[in-house]
Amino acid sequence: MMNLSRRALLQSLLATAAVPPAWAQQQTGAPAPNPFRFEDVVRRARELAAAPYESIPVQLPEPLSRLSFDDYRDIRFRPDRAHLASGGGPFRMHLFHLGFLYQRPVTVNVLRDGVPTPIPYQRELFDYGRNKIERPLPVNLGFAGFRLHYPLNDPKVFDELIAFVGASYFRFLGAGQKYGLSARGLALNVEGGAAEEFPNFREFWIEMPKPESERATIYALLDSPSVAGAYRFEIYPSKETTLDITATLFPRQTLANVGIAPLTSMYFEGENDQHRTDDFRPELHDSDGLLIQSGAGEWIWRPLRNPPQKTISSFHDNNPRGFGLMQRDRVFENYQDLEAYYHQRPGYWVEPIGQWGEGRVELVEIPTPDETHDNIVVSWEPSRPYEAGQEVTLSYRLRAMSAMGAMHSGGGVVNTFHTPPRASGSNQPSDPTHRRFIIDFAGGNLPYYFGDPGQVQLIPSTSAGTITNTFLMPNDHTTGFRAAIDVKLEPGQSTDLRAFLKAGNRTLTETWTYPWSVE
């Protein structure tokens, strides 16, 4: 996985050109005799997978092929030309222009009464700012992608709801949220070995919403050298916007390292991983932790890191109940950023629908020198590879989360720190093989035990090395408990730490887990 620029929205890796739709574009007010459905996208994907993959070189006309970043930013869709308005529904569609890093077009269709009609390129759709486009551009130029708008925060304002642009990436928002992490349709070879492959959505179909509709439906055709696929997105805008996603995949070749429901984010610096850069902002991240609900019901919290080298953490499971990258820290003072609004960036929570079987939640952390690169990837990887010629259908729900309190009834991890295990102000030399990890648990029923904190037990464990000391105390500032674990490792050793709180036989919190190694 390369370090990919967030300014460029990861678009330099588009794989293929769009193909013209095979459907007749008839204009009629009556429903089509054979209306276009998701099954038709599945058929298209099946036919694509049965044929050799074709990468069609595309050369954009001048001057689009040589637009700079600032030139491209000056091209804006005209809101008064938004699509979907004629249906009387609450959604509006804007289109992304081609140019700069967005070199390969996709076809965007509107489905009205079951009839797909591709949107032709029109110069009048865009305000080109200071750019001078002297020659007419062809009507079959295509687009880089699209976005839907909806009155999320104000009934009179159409806020951006979801955007599809570049490869199979998409981002979406709930009320009061700001863009941060991204989702994508599929991830291939993220772990390394073979070069990472980036499938792309090459064609979209957007159903014309009815006046009373509070749901948008999008179909997408995915293609790459290794796989073709059909996707359906049912989008329900709300405080925590929800997507119901169904994907039918047709591998062209065995998919040994396939990531289902992949999420991509940025973690540069936080309280558990401080690089002490010359920056006034204390923390810089779109997400601060991986949350998992295992098939057995255990809740696991893994703080994210910006490691010195690429690291992979695997959480093996059978039929997981959910996983996601979360922005749990919602305090502005911990970011001090009036432009990025890191405290308002959503977490994305994946909830499988049906049985996903055996596999693992795979977390990939890549070192990054600054906040402009996405360096975190998480996805579900099945234990058994998907074989060439196999048809695989999976469904899941994806939510844009703000408040974390409703995820489960137990206490959660709100802070992770680590430091040498010595008294404050001590001049004792630091021992790199000995480390203290401090975890703040809060929420759930923890305040109940403030009257008798002795009932609460810290249950720590380590996969290697020795736990030399622990302590646990109430924390009035978080209305929870602060735990500390001192761990001793030999040089060259690595360990996975785990800890949770209990009272008697009752588990009070989620399980904190953290990797540590001594070079």
Side-chain angles (χ1 to χ4, degrees):
M1 171 74 182
M2 298 173 57
N3 279 358
L4 301 176
S5 170
R6 293 178 62 77
R7 273 185 86 189
L9 292 176
L10 313 171
Q11 305 316 315
S12 60
L13 299 168
L14 291 176
T16 64
V19 295
W23 289 82
Q25 279 78 57
Q26 54 182 334
Q27 300 285 347
T28 175
N34 296 301
F36 188 96
R37 300 174 300 173
F38 177 58
E39 289 74 13
D40 296 301
V41 188
V42 173
R43 178 185 58 79
R44 289 275 300 275
R46 185 184 295 113
E47 292 171 351
L48 269 180
Y53 173 76
E54 290 187 33
S55 180
I56 305 172
V58 174
Q59 179 63 47
L60 292 184
E62 292 284 353
L64 299 182
S65 60
R66 52 181 175 81
L67 290 176
S68 69
F69 174 73
D70 290 329
D71 292 336
Y72 183 77
R73 285 187 62 187
D74 218 29
I75 302 176
R76 297 177 176 86
F77 188 86
R78 297 182 183 274
D80 61 322
R81 301 301 299 269
H83 292 266
L84 307 183
S86 62
F91 297 90
R92 302 291 183 269
M93 181 169 66
H94 296 189
L95 298 156
F96 290 109
H97 205 286
L98 289 162
F100 185 49
L101 298 176
Y102 309 89
Q103 295 287 311
R104 295 193 179 274
V106 299
T107 302
V108 181
N109 303 273
V110 173
L111 278 172
R112 185 190 291 270
D113 296 323
V115 178
T117 303
I119 300 175
Y121 167 80
Q122 292 176 290
R123 183 189 182 99
E124 295 74 21
L125 294 175
F126 298 93
D127 179 350
Y128 288 86
R130 63 178 177 273
N131 292 289
K132 303 299 182 184
I133 310 294
E134 304 293 347
R135 299 179 180 177
L137 297 173
V139 294
N140 63 348
L141 178 67
F143 303 96
F146 69 96
R147 59 190 181 186
L148 296 186
H149 291 240
Y150 178 89
L152 271 175
N153 302 289
D154 186 317
K156 297 181 180 179
V157 178
F158 285 91
D159 305 293
E160 188 166 335
L161 171 67
I162 188 169
F164 290 84
V165 60
S168 66
Y169 286 87
F170 60 96
R171 300 193 295 178
F172 64 104
L173 295 170
Q177 298 173 353
K178 305 291 185 181
Y179 273 142
L181 79 167
S182 301
R184 47 177 158 159
L186 201 66
L188 297 174
N189 302 325
V190 174
E191 298 176 17
E196 184 173 7
E197 186 176 314
F198 290 83
N200 75 300
F201 289 132
R202 57 191 289 172
E203 188 164 1
F204 294 94
W205 295 262
I206 299 91
E207 288 191 355
M208 176 69 75
K210 299 185 182 303
E212 68 279 5
S213 177
E214 292 298 321
R215 176 191 70 186
T217 301
I218 297 170
Y219 306 131
L221 180 66
L222 179 135
D223 197 18
S224 82
S226 298
V227 63
Y231 284 72
R232 177 174 58 210
F233 299 86
E234 303 281 356
I235 304 161
Y236 299 87
S238 68
K239 183 177 181 180
E240 294 183 336
T241 294
T242 299
L243 276 59
D244 284 346
I245 301 173
T246 296
T248 301
L249 304 175
F250 299 92
R252 286 188 171 93
Q253 57 192 37
T254 299
L255 303 181
N257 293 304
V258 57
I260 304 300
L263 307 175
T264 301
S265 192
M266 180 277 293
Y267 183 94
F268 177 56
E269 187 172 36
E271 76 269 1
N272 62 291
D273 193 18
Q274 296 176 329
H275 298 273
R276 299 302 179 188
T277 56
D278 189 17
D279 196 310
F280 74 95
R281 297 167 297 172
E283 299 187 35
L284 298 165
H285 49 74
D286 288 338
S287 307
D288 56 10
L290 166 64
L291 183 64
I292 301 171
Q293 186 184 19
S294 72
E298 181 185 21
W299 288 89
I300 300 168
W301 176 256
R302 162 62 153 80
L304 297 178
R305 305 172 305 151
N306 181 7
Q309 59 270 332
K310 178 180 177 179
T311 61
I312 300 173
S313 301
S314 298
F315 301 84
H316 294 266
D317 203 359
N318 187 21
N319 293 318
R321 300 188 190 182
F323 66 90
L325 291 174
M326 299 297 168
Q327 185 76 315
R328 185 167 273 185
D329 189 340
R330 296 282 164 185
V331 180
F332 168 78
E333 286 74 15
N334 292 340
Y335 303 98
Q336 293 292 343
D337 198 314
L338 291 173
E339 295 180 355
Y341 286 93
Y342 286 118
H343 64 293
Q344 290 184 271
R345 303 204 169 186
Y348 285 172
W349 178 250
V350 177
E351 183 180 342
I353 298 174
Q355 304 292 301
W356 280 16
E358 294 185 357
R360 61 192 181 274
V361 176
E362 197 90 328
L363 171 65
V364 179
E365 296 168 300
I366 304 165
T368 180
D370 53 50
E371 63 186 295
T372 65
H373 297 84
D374 277 349
N375 64 320
I376 304 294
V377 182
V378 68
S379 64
W380 171 257
E381 295 202 6
S383 292
R384 295 183 179 180
Y386 296 155
E387 302 292 342
Q390 183 181 1
E391 179 175 334
V392 180
T393 297
L394 294 161
S395 296
Y396 58 98
R397 184 163 291 125
L398 187 57
R399 280 194 290 162
M401 305 293 296
S402 293
M404 298 291 107
M407 296 296 291
H408 59 78
S409 60
V413 177
V414 295
N415 292 308
T416 298
F417 309 97
H418 53 89
T419 185
R422 60 189 180 191
S424 177
S426 170
N427 293 322
Q428 178 184 354
S430 178
D431 178 1
T433 68
H434 205 186
R435 201 73 178 162
R436 172 169 294 168
F437 295 86
I438 300 169
I439 311 105
D440 282 328
F441 294 95
N445 287 327
L446 291 179
Y448 171 80
Y449 293 94
F450 269 33
D452 189 6
Q455 291 192 44
V456 181
Q457 298 173 275
L458 170 63
I459 310 299
S461 63
T462 181
S463 62
T466 304
I467 296 175
T468 61
N469 187 38
T470 65
F471 65 79
L472 182 68
M473 64 179 67
N475 185 345
D476 293 334
H477 299 283
T478 62
T479 320
F481 283 77
R482 171 164 289 184
I485 308 168
D486 294 349
V487 183
K488 177 78 172 177
L489 282 181
E490 296 299 323
Q493 273 192 320
S494 298
T495 185
D496 287 310
L497 301 166
R498 288 169 59 92
F500 65 94
L501 303 184
K502 63 180 292 189
N505 294 324
R506 184 181 183 186
T507 298
L508 299 178
T509 67
E510 62 193 17
T511 299
W512 168 88
T513 182
Y514 202 80
W516 179 51
S517 61
V518 177
E519 300 300 329

